Amino acid sequence: MVKGANVALATLSENTGSVIVSLGWLSPTGEGDADVSVLLLDENGKVRSDADFYFYNNPVAADGSVQLLGKTPTADGNEDRISFDLTAIPSDVDRIVVAASRYHGARFGELDALTVMLADGGGENLLRFAIDDAGSVSAFIFAELYRRAGEWKFRAVGQGYDTGLAGLAMDFGVDVDDDAATEEALDGAASDEQVTTTVPAAVAEPGPPAPEAVPAPRQPGDEFEPRKAPARPRTAKKKVTLPKAGKKSLAENSAWKQARLFPVSALKSDRDRETRATSVLLSVMAQVPEFGRRLTAAFGAPAGRMETFTEVSMPHGDTPRRPDGVIRVERAGKLWTALVETKTNGNSLKSDQVQAYMDIAARRGYEAVITLSNDVALEGSPLVDVKIDGRRKHKVALRHLSWAEVAYQAQMLIRHEGVGNLAHAWLLQELLHYLQHENSGCHGFQNMGAAWVPVRNGIDDETLCQGDSRAREVVESWERLIRQVCLTLGGELGQKVLPVQRAKRGSDPGARRAALADRLCLDGKLQAELRIEGPPGVLTIVADLRTGKLRTSIEIPAPEQGYPLAWAKRLVRHLAEAPADLHVETLVEGEAGGPRGTLERLRPEPADMLPKDNGTRITGFRLSLSKGMGSTRGNAESGFIRSVDEAVHRFYTTVVVHLDRPTSRRASSKERETAG
């Protein structure tokens, strides 16, 4: 990009709910550095409060929407990264300014190769802005993210400030305390607050200094000893020692891509994908304890020291078996062991392989066999059939993990909750980049199964009969897809998203799916409900296989106080940035439906949402969007799975995020049914 240019994020990638902005520079002396800062501005170009100013003394937003991830030495010098969860940015924030500052009299003109990079949620670089005219300034605005018509855009700014970080902050409405006494006191405090980590002599190795901690966003209700904070933000710089970087890049041009820790370009066969994916995942699990613990705690593993292994040979009759991986956790002198069998690229697990590993685990006293594939496990519908020898006293648990669950846990840690240090955050980011790369084969549930096309054809020509086993297979595939949609959306939002089950606890899942299959044969529709923490209701998605349409909707209860016209005006106002084709229906008591229309028609006349009979009681409003769905069973460009993912993502990001949560009344008893 060039200075002053702008671009809509949606035109660059489909995965821009979360983005990472990287600022880079090269110091000719190897010692020059700068610090990044972020300001959230309202429509007047000012911060809403001093809390909207993020810098080295205030690095993380409480809601996880902004995280300063810290510095990383690169081949080009230094890189400072900032993570933005754009779905969590408050609606009254109109613009996000990304800046940097130098200290102790240093100027940006003394640095070379000033650049801005923008990457999407999967780590793919989307754009680059190089700055060659910084000049003799001590603070600099590199770029900004801003909203236009409900979409986020990026602008390459390149504007300098000679008054430093304090002057830049004050221009945007921050009340700054930046006197010399404060700087001196904070510099002294910084030297007194250094933390020393003791490494046992047996394992100590020379290496770079330990990375700085990346704190997790503070959660509501956390108990901690409050520290008295200054009344105003302080911009004095704490001293940071960084490894010296090379003076110049060795790349011949900017088109050369940086080497990835986990390359995917050489993966040619399914065996290559399985081997590398297993090794990559197990290695990161062992090196990032909080991540490894997340994936194994649900399987009964204790919290302890973890080691992982790949391609281990196990004796089994005349032919040794080689499970894809082994996980061992030690706690208080006791070992917990699990064998791992991995599949990628949509390949199915093989019953004979898993059966052999179950037998080996039972003989050797291991606790679990973990299967890992693109498929999603369902209660009452195992992915593989194995026989358990009841005569054995030692019981082995068979557990399943999907690649979508692995990606979800990585996203939750690095984008929303934080990890122990910068190295761990970088490892998880590399893992996520690997999992989301098209060549890794770890993309999650990808295929609606062999019954999908026959069932759709049977619905079209009205030959599908109740009791057809193929309808039951499609219902199970639909349930797997919805569970994966919940994981994907939950990872983007940093919130729990669960499918709602309209059935009593303890009821037979097979009987429930059989009933849903009969309904599919009758009306040709697949339906699911998703409960998202926060929104005023349950998100519903309906796939009508007869019409080829996907419909996403949400019902908003009417407020308990106020007047119907005020409710209608408020709803239209909150949906100012929603799509014009959003369908709005007024819900009323009784069987008869209320007024309905598109948002485009209702915007100038919100009163059209009210029933003609003033005595009719309004119970709420239903908002819905429709789109065509893919015809193929897989996740190709026109695939059904991709169209479902896109429909849910679009509805949440363009409609649900704008709803007024505080004014909505409590959910009805129907909405409080069991989610799981």
Side-chain angles (χ1 to χ4, degrees):
M1 296 187 70
V2 298
K3 184 174 180 178
N6 63 78
V7 64
L9 300 189
T11 64
L12 302 177
S13 170
E14 297 178 353
N15 190 15
T16 54
S18 296
V19 297
I20 292 181
V21 176
S22 302
L23 307 185
W25 45 78
L26 170 66
S27 171
T29 64
E31 298 178 353
D33 200 12
D35 292 295
V36 303
S37 54
V38 172
L39 298 105
L40 306 186
L41 310 180
D42 60 19
E43 59 183 5
N44 298 316
K46 301 292 184 181
V47 296
R48 300 168 302 167
S49 70
D50 291 346
D52 284 342
F53 179 32
Y54 300 97
F55 59 119
Y56 41 77
N57 284 342
N58 180 36
V60 178
D63 59 1
S65 59
V66 180
Q67 294 190 59
L68 307 190
L69 300 180
K71 303 176 185 298
T72 302
T74 69
D76 295 334
N78 287 327
E79 184 180 83
D80 216 326
R81 300 185 306 149
I82 313 143
S83 172
F84 294 101
D85 183 355
L86 298 180
T87 65
I89 298 293
S91 59
D92 54 347
V93 172
D94 185 68
R95 187 157 51 107
I96 303 172
V97 171
V98 180
S101 57
R102 305 204 68 193
Y103 39 91
H104 300 321
R107 302 292 176 180
F108 274 95
E110 300 163 1
L111 299 177
D112 297 333
L114 272 68
T115 58
V116 185
M117 300 282 287
L118 178 74
D120 66 11
E124 288 289 334
N125 287 330
L126 304 179
L127 57 84
R128 180 176 182 270
F129 169 41
I131 300 167
D132 53 11
D133 58 344
S136 182
V137 295
S138 56
F140 202 84
I141 297 179
F142 282 71
E144 63 182 24
L145 295 159
Y146 63 101
R147 299 185 204 255
R148 282 296 182 273
E151 294 186 352
W152 283 99
K153 303 186 74 172
F154 177 95
R155 177 182 289 121
V157 179
Q159 176 184 343
Y161 272 76
D162 193 42
T163 51
L165 177 60
L168 183 150
M170 286 189 291
D171 276 2
F172 291 111
V174 179
D175 195 3
V176 175
D177 183 354
D178 197 27
D179 55 86
T182 300
E183 287 195 22
E184 186 174 330
L186 284 179
D187 282 346
S191 62
D192 293 337
E193 292 175 2
Q194 293 178 354
V195 178
T196 303
T197 302
T198 303
V199 181
V203 298
E205 294 180 0
E212 296 180 85
V214 180
R218 186 174 298 157
Q219 302 297 323
D222 283 356
E223 295 183 2
F224 60 93
E225 185 66 25
R227 294 171 58 184
K228 186 176 180 180
R232 293 171 289 176
R234 293 182 175 180
T235 60
K237 178 69 184 79
K238 292 186 178 181
K239 294 180 179 178
V240 177
T241 302
L242 295 174
K244 291 185 178 181
K247 294 186 177 181
K248 64 178 182 179
S249 170
L250 299 181
E252 290 183 1
N253 58 67
S254 60
W256 285 18
K257 293 186 177 180
Q258 187 178 6
R260 308 297 311 207
L261 180 63
F262 310 125
V264 290
S265 57
L267 296 177
K268 302 299 182 183
S269 67
D270 287 343
R271 184 58 184 164
D272 289 341
R273 292 185 179 93
E274 289 178 9
T275 302
R276 185 170 297 182
T278 305
S279 183
V280 166
L281 173 62
L282 295 185
S283 176
V284 175
M285 287 174 62
Q287 296 303 318
V288 185
E290 51 268 70
F291 178 63
R293 175 63 180 155
R294 285 224 171 176
L295 294 183
T296 58
F299 301 154
R305 182 173 67 92
M306 179 183 293
E307 289 190 12
T308 54
F309 310 87
T310 60
E311 298 297 320
V312 177
S313 180
M314 299 273 185
H316 183 68
D318 297 333
T319 306
R321 293 280 184 165
R322 296 171 65 90
D324 292 317
V326 177
I327 302 172
R328 306 203 85 177
V329 182
E330 180 190 31
R331 182 179 177 88
K334 296 182 179 180
L335 283 175
W336 180 91
T337 306
L339 303 181
V340 180
E341 170 63 9
T342 303
K343 294 295 180 184
T344 58
N345 213 37
N347 293 320
S348 301
L349 295 161
K350 297 179 180 179
S351 295
D352 59 337
Q353 280 186 321
V354 179
Q355 183 70 65
Y357 298 144
M358 291 289 289
D359 295 339
I360 292 171
R363 289 199 306 268
R364 301 178 76 90
Y366 295 163
E367 283 70 23
V369 172
I370 300 173
T371 56
L372 179 61
S373 73
N374 290 25
D375 215 338
V376 179
L378 300 179
E379 180 187 4
S381 182
L383 295 174
V384 289
D385 293 321
V386 297
K387 297 179 180 179
I388 306 298
D389 190 343
R391 296 172 296 178
R392 288 195 174 115
K393 294 183 178 179
H394 181 74
K395 305 298 181 183
V396 178
L398 177 60
R399 309 285 191 173
H400 181 73
L401 189 64
S402 70
W403 287 114
E405 173 73 14
V406 174
Y408 165 78
Q409 296 294 358
Q411 283 180 308
M412 291 297 291
L413 281 171
I414 61 176
R415 295 180 182 170
H416 306 291
E417 300 173 12
V419 293
N421 58 50
L422 181 59
H424 291 174
W426 179 71
L427 276 174
L428 286 176
Q429 186 63 46
E430 287 291 297
L431 172 65
L432 196 58
H433 174 271
Y434 178 88
L435 296 178
Q436 295 178 337
H437 194 282
E438 61 182 9
N439 204 28
S440 71
C442 305
H443 308 125
F445 181 70
Q446 293 179 281
N447 197 309
M448 290 296 288
W452 175 246
V453 174
V455 165
R456 291 197 66 169
N457 292 338
I459 290 174
D460 288 341
D461 56 27
E462 299 183 353
T463 59
L464 187 66
C465 300
Q466 293 187 36
D468 193 320
S469 61
R470 296 174 300 180
R472 166 72 178 269
E473 292 178 30
V474 168
V475 166
E476 290 187 353
S477 295
W478 171 252
E479 188 174 338
R480 289 188 169 96
L481 171 58
I482 292 303
R483 289 189 176 274
Q484 178 165 290
V485 168
C486 289
L487 290 172
T488 303
L489 186 59
E492 293 177 0
L493 305 180
Q495 301 173 188
K496 284 185 179 180
V497 181
L498 298 172
V500 178
Q501 305 289 8
R502 301 293 183 185
K504 295 181 179 179
R505 287 186 181 274
S507 60
D508 180 20
R512 176 175 58 82
R513 293 181 188 120
L516 294 175
D518 287 343
R519 286 178 51 190
L520 172 62
C521 296
L522 288 174
D523 60 21
K525 294 180 181 179
L526 293 166
Q527 180 171 326
E529 295 174 309
L530 284 62
R531 184 186 303 283
I532 307 171
E533 289 184 348
V538 171
L539 192 155
T540 301
I541 179 166
V542 178
D544 191 330
L545 304 190
R546 285 198 174 104
T547 63
K549 294 289 187 180
L550 285 169
R551 190 174 187 87
T552 44
S553 63
I554 192 168
E555 292 186 10
I556 310 168
E560 294 179 342
Q561 298 179 346
Y563 297 96
L565 182 57
W567 303 342
K569 290 182 177 179
R570 186 185 304 122
L571 181 60
V572 169
R573 184 168 63 251
H574 291 162
L575 295 173
E577 298 180 3
D581 61 342
L582 178 68
H583 189 273
V584 182
E585 178 183 357
T586 303
L587 305 178
V588 299
E589 283 186 334
E591 297 182 0
R596 63 189 68 186
T598 62
L599 187 60
E600 182 178 30
R601 184 177 68 81
L602 295 173
R603 274 172 175 156
E605 294 293 341
D608 289 348
M609 297 168 58
L610 306 182
K612 300 300 181 184
D613 184 357
N614 294 333
T616 303
R617 181 173 175 269
I618 296 176
T619 61
F621 303 92
R622 181 185 293 120
L623 312 177
S624 57
L625 278 177
S626 293
K627 72 180 294 290
M629 64 186 185
S631 58
T632 58
R633 65 186 183 183
N635 70 338
E637 195 64 36
S638 61
F640 175 73
I641 291 175
R642 178 182 290 274
S643 62
V644 172
D645 285 331
E646 291 175 347
V648 173
H649 183 267
R650 177 178 181 242
F651 187 71
Y652 186 89
T653 56
T654 63
V655 178
V656 179
V657 293
H658 301 304
L659 298 180
D660 184 24
R661 300 174 184 177
T663 60
S664 296
R665 72 180 185 185
R666 272 181 273 171
S668 64
S669 59
K670 179 182 178 182
E671 292 167 346
R672 294 195 295 270
E673 292 184 39
T674 303

